[in-house]
């Protein structure tokens, strides 16, 4: 459990096959811009066969985040997906619009996911971020990740794990 600077408590847990409807609820509450920032395309939902891959623990770790006041409503999804490069995992985060820029939730999720990936034996991560996704680029910079200058509409970022978690106003609950 994490506590945001305003006292809001959020918790993340592993996703399960039965969570697809809740995840697509998250997608429906996100703007087209947020979905484009996450997927770099105009997608509006996760298809069942895609979800199967995201909950297949042999190749992915998918975490769902909820607030303790509404534990059945997914407010964020974090994905760690094994790549073809040994020891490297792809990192992706989607935060519901109403929770974006809210006291460090994105930074908390990225930092937690990076630590989790390191615990699972990964030594590096990669992320494809839209060149105009200033919020995610800022999160990565705050976590001391070198972000190259964009040469196209996306920025390919690769870095070592674990990411050192910069102070973000969050405290870990027990």
């Amino acid at each position: 459990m994490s506590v945001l600077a305003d006292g809001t408590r959020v918790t993340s847990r592993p996703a399960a096959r039965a969570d697809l409807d809740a995840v697509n609820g998250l997608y429906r509450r996100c703007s087209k811009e947020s979905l484009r920032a996450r997927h770099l395309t105009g997608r509006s939902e996760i298809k069942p066969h895609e979800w199967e891959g995201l909950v297949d623990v042999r190749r992915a770790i998918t975490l769902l985040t909820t607030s303790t006041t509404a534990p059945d409503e997914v407010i964020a999804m974090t994905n760690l997906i094994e790549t073809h490069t040994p020891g490297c995992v792809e990192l992706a985060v989607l935060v519901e619009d109403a929770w974006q820029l809210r006291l460090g939730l994105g930074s908390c999720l990225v930092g937690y996911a990076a630590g989790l990936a390191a615990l699972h034996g990964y030594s590096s991560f990669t992320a494809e971020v839209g060149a105009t996704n200033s919020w995610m680029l800022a999160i990565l910079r705050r976590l001391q990740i070198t972000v190259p200058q964009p040469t196209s509409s996306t920025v390919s970022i690769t870095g070592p794990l674990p990411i050192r978690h910069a102070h973000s106003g969050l405290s870990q609950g027990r």
Side-chain angles (χ1 to χ4, degrees):
M1 179 180 305
S2 294
V3 181
L4 303 180
D6 70 350
T8 303
R9 295 176 184 273
V10 296
T11 187
S12 294
R13 63 168 175 81
R17 283 183 175 82
D19 291 319
L20 179 58
D21 287 341
V23 168
N24 280 329
L26 165 65
Y27 273 64
R28 285 188 293 278
R29 292 186 305 278
C30 287
S31 66
K32 289 180 183 178
E33 294 77 18
S34 291
L35 295 173
R36 193 172 298 109
R38 162 57 181 90
H39 291 285
L40 307 175
T41 65
R43 104 178 353 238
S44 61
E45 68 177 8
I46 297 287
K47 305 282 187 206
H49 73 278
E50 296 167 322
W51 186 242
E52 287 296 318
L54 291 174
V55 296
D56 182 349
V57 296
R58 294 170 297 176
R59 65 174 293 269
I61 299 169
T62 295
L63 301 173
L64 301 181
T65 302
T66 62
S67 72
T68 57
T69 57
D72 294 329
E73 186 171 284
V74 174
I75 60 171
M77 178 175 67
T78 307
N79 304 107
L80 294 166
I81 304 166
E82 193 169 276
T83 68
H84 294 293
T85 303
C88 185
V89 65
E90 180 182 351
L91 170 66
V93 177
L94 176 64
V95 176
E96 181 180 335
D97 289 31
W99 287 82
Q100 291 178 18
L101 308 176
R102 187 178 172 127
L103 307 168
L105 178 58
S107 295
C108 178
L109 295 175
V110 170
Y112 180 75
L116 186 61
L119 285 173
H120 278 84
Y122 294 99
S123 58
S124 65
F125 81 98
T126 185
E128 288 293 317
V129 180
T132 60
N133 188 347
S134 58
W135 301 116
M136 183 56 135
L137 295 172
I139 287 171
L140 293 171
R141 286 184 185 107
R142 275 193 308 274
L143 296 174
Q144 302 176 1
I145 299 301
T146 301
V147 176
Q149 289 296 318
T151 57
S152 67
S153 62
T154 62
V155 180
S156 295
I157 301 165
T158 301
L161 291 172
I163 295 172
R164 194 168 3 145
H165 195 291
H167 175 71
S168 63
L170 297 174
S171 64
Q172 294 295 317
R174 300 217 185 263

